[in-house]
Amino acid sequence: MKTVLSGIRPTGNLHLGNYFGALRNFVEMQHEYNCYFFIADLHSLTTHPTPENIQGNVKSVLAQYLAAGLDPEKATIYIQSDVPEVIELYLYLNMNAYIGELERCASFKDKIRLQPQNVNAGLLTYPTLMAADILIHKADFVPVGKDQEQHLEMARTFGNRFNRMYNNEYFTEPQAFNFGKELIKIPALNGAGKMGKSEGDDSTIFLTDKPEVILKKVKRAVTDSGPTVPNQPMTEPIANLFQLMSVVSKPETIEFFRNSYNDCSIRYGDLKKQLAEDMIQFVNPLREKIEEVMSNEKYLSQVTEMGKEKAKASASKTINEVREIIGFRKY
Ligand code: TRP
């Protein structure tokens, strides 16, 4: 069975973009692959969170993963910092990660621009830590968005370099896992861009949003002045609302509004009301499940413990083999 690995930084609440972009697919994948899903809390240290911050966010991401249907019996769901073997591999990989290539990494250049007051060494070596995450379990596939492709390429580079250095074929090359046509784009409510942090909280529907919050956000969604001739092509904000409908509404509902758009009788207020209602129907059961899991401390710590044990079994095997290759004693 091939191994799939995915990490997510614990930045708080997940949104519909996360759900349709990855989470929903992970639920399917856990039956077909040996899956590792982890919360990258070590990576999050680059932005200097408080201990309360970390704890809260790790817990809520974990609860959201579980509520969405990730099964801790099937997949290995763990917290990165519970597996210090990753940190050891990170150190080894850093010994032949070159400053020049790390500085040229697009995400590092972005950070220099966005947070010039905090350009720390952890940011520079972010790709090495990510490579360690991937190589520690010898992952075959990593589901990545465009912004992570370069990091995955660097993981291949570091693995191959290690192999060449020690003249063996120890690490396999991780490949991007492509969801193909199953990948649905979830637009933001502000008429432009994808749903997610960068478009702001008001344009993003979180899995934890209560009905009144969803209603308010959808009501404020950007529209245009309306079609004036039959079958007029849609502007981006309107096409986006229809795109959102396509994931939460019934086909008849979508058809109804499409027809009323095409014959110019549409009232965007009605469209939004319906969209909000259907989104609420979709999000409500998830939100309730998340709340239930969040309040079940015992279950959460059982899951965490189980994930840690499974992840450590795989990671310590790798680290022992790597130590031997490097010329250290095995543990
Ligand atoms: N860098 C990823 C992100 O920001 C998170 C991440 C850390 C990751 N380690 C990983 C993703 C390993 C995939 C594999 O989204």
Side-chain angles (χ1 to χ4, degrees):
M1 204 190 265
K2 296 276 186 191
T3 297
V4 172
L5 173 138
S6 172
I8 181 167
R9 269 173 300 130
T11 46
N13 291 328
L14 303 184
H15 49 74
L16 285 179
N18 297 123
Y19 183 81
F20 286 102
L23 204 42
R24 195 183 55 146
N25 298 306
F26 291 169
V27 175
E28 302 296 316
M29 282 156 68
Q30 56 187 353
H31 305 288
E32 292 156 48
Y33 297 93
N34 176 24
C35 289
Y36 291 91
F37 301 121
F38 73 96
I39 301 174
D41 58 347
L42 294 170
H43 276 106
S44 76
L45 295 181
T46 55
T47 57
H48 305 164
T50 64
E52 296 75 30
N53 248 210
I54 294 204
Q55 267 182 13
N57 284 337
V58 167
K59 183 180 163 193
S60 63
V61 171
L62 183 61
Q64 291 171 77
Y65 265 30
L66 296 168
L70 292 193
D71 180 353
E73 303 277 349
K74 289 219 159 67
T76 301
I77 305 168
Y78 67 100
I79 301 168
Q80 187 186 29
S81 62
D82 275 346
V83 186
E85 288 82 355
V86 171
I87 308 172
E88 186 171 341
L89 183 58
Y90 165 63
L91 182 138
Y92 300 149
L93 295 176
N94 266 333
M95 296 302 164
N96 46 51
Y98 295 99
I99 297 281
E101 64 190 335
L102 294 169
E103 280 175 343
R104 278 193 302 276
C105 183
S107 63
F108 182 66
K109 288 193 200 155
D110 283 348
K111 292 292 180 195
I112 295 183
R113 201 163 43 81
L114 295 171
Q115 50 178 73
Q117 75 293 355
N118 179 22
V119 183
N120 58 63
L123 275 178
L124 183 68
T125 57
Y126 187 107
T128 336
L129 181 54
M130 185 159 156
D133 290 327
I134 298 168
L135 297 174
I136 197 97
H137 301 300
K138 309 239 189 84
D140 298 297
F141 296 113
V142 182
V144 284
K146 268 252 161 295
D147 61 326
Q148 298 295 321
E149 269 172 14
Q150 191 179 21
H151 290 157
L152 185 58
E153 179 64 38
M154 291 171 90
R156 284 193 286 269
T157 302
F158 297 149
N160 285 331
R161 197 173 288 157
F162 180 93
N163 290 352
R164 246 182 287 115
M165 182 138 179
Y166 295 103
N167 199 15
N168 64 23
E169 314 229 308
Y170 186 68
F171 288 120
T172 43
E173 278 200 352
Q175 303 298 332
F177 186 92
N178 213 326
F179 292 123
K181 61 178 179 347
E182 290 151 58
L183 198 64
I184 303 171
K185 183 184 149 226
I186 302 297
L189 292 168
N190 61 358
K194 285 193 307 179
M195 196 173 274
K197 278 245 174 307
S198 57
E199 298 300 329
D201 284 2
D202 288 342
S203 310
T204 299
I205 303 291
F206 295 97
L207 304 183
T208 45
D209 278 350
K210 296 217 161 73
E212 60 274 20
V213 175
I214 297 182
L215 186 63
K216 200 173 84 189
K217 287 180 180 174
V218 175
K219 266 193 181 158
R220 289 193 191 149
V222 173
T223 54
D224 59 17
S225 52
T228 50
V229 292
N231 302 315
Q232 189 173 315
M234 286 179 194
T235 60
E236 194 182 354
I238 305 305
N240 285 352
L241 294 183
F242 273 93
Q243 172 65 11
L244 289 168
M245 258 199 163
S246 78
V247 296
V248 294
S249 303
K250 293 204 189 76
E252 308 88 86
T253 310
I254 300 165
E255 168 134 333
F256 171 82
F257 283 101
R258 208 173 275 287
N259 288 340
S260 66
Y261 179 88
N262 283 335
D263 68 18
C264 306
S265 67
I266 194 163
R267 284 167 33 188
Y268 289 146
D270 296 343
L271 173 83
K272 288 177 173 181
K273 197 158 157 266
Q274 183 70 47
L275 178 60
E277 220 167 85
D278 294 340
M279 264 188 186
I280 291 167
Q281 288 295 324
F282 183 84
V283 171
N284 256 350
L286 265 170
R287 195 196 75 248
E288 284 162 9
K289 188 87 200 155
I290 292 166
E291 286 167 4
E292 184 193 319
V293 178
M294 277 295 266
S295 65
N296 195 343
E297 296 287 349
K298 189 160 165 245
Y299 177 62
L300 283 171
S301 65
Q302 275 170 353
V303 168
T304 307
E305 209 44 46
M306 195 196 313
K308 171 177 157 181
E309 258 164 45
K310 289 204 273 178
K312 273 180 83 83
S314 154
S316 62
K317 180 171 182 291
T318 303
I319 217 66
N320 261 316
E321 289 164 354
V322 165
R323 284 176 67 96
E324 202 173 29
I325 291 169
I326 291 178
F328 291 153
R329 282 192 313 122
K330 282 187 170 190
Y331 281 124

